[in-house]
C-alpha cells in the first residue's frame, strides 16, 4: 500500500497497465478523473474509492489548492514501486510500524 500525494493543480498521467490491479481511495482533498478524450470527468472526494482498470481514464488531477492524497492498494506480493513519475511520497502505514 502506498500514498499518492498531488499538490494543488497537479496532474498525473495514468498508464493503464500499471494501475490494472490497484484500488485507489481518496483520503484527503479531491481528485478529478481526466477522461480518455481529455474532457474532465467526475470529481471524487474524501472516502471515494475507484478502480481504473478498463475505464480509459488517462490522468488524475487535483482541482483544489491543497494537497490531495490517494491511498493505493494492490494485491499482496505485488511490487510496491510507484508506477509513474510525479510529486509522490510514500507515507508510513497507519497504525503500524514503518
Amino acid at each position: 500500500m502506498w500514498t499518492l500525494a498531488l499538490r494543488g493543480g497537479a496532474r498525473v498521467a495514468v498508464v493503464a497497465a500499471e494501475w490494472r490491479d490497484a484500488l485507489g481511495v481518496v483520503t484527503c482533498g479531491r481528485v478529478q478523473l481526466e477522461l480518455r478524450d481529455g474532457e474532465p470527468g467526475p470529481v471524487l472526494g474524501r472516502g471515494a474509492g475507484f478502480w481504473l482498470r478498463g475505464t480509459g481514464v488517462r490522468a488524475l488531477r487535483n482541482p483544489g489548492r491543497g494537497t490531495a492524497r490517494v491511498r493505493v492498494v494492490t494485491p499482496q506480493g505485488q511490487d510496491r514501486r510507484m508506477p509513474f513519475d510525479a510529486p509522490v511520497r510514500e507515507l508510513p502505514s497507519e497504525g503500524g510500524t514503518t
Side-chain angles (χ1 to χ4, degrees), residues 26-38:
V26 179
T27 60
C28 181
R30 297 180 309 142
V31 174
Q32 184 172 31
L33 306 180
E34 183 179 309
L35 306 178
R36 73 181 81 184
D37 60 2

Side-chain angles (χ1 to χ4, degrees), residues 16-76:
E18 295 171 344
W19 279 85
R20 68 167 200 239
D21 292 327
L23 172 71
V25 178
V26 179
T27 60
C28 181
R30 297 180 309 142
V31 174
Q32 184 172 31
L33 306 180
E34 183 179 309
L35 306 178
R36 73 181 81 184
D37 60 2
E39 292 294 315
V43 176
L44 307 174
R46 186 172 185 218
F50 58 92
W51 175 273
L52 297 179
R53 184 179 194 172
T55 64
V57 169
R58 73 179 197 180
L60 300 177
R61 297 181 52 207
N62 177 355
R65 289 181 168 177
T67 300
R69 287 189 171 75
V70 177
R71 194 67 141 169
V72 181
V73 182
T74 56
Q76 284 287 33

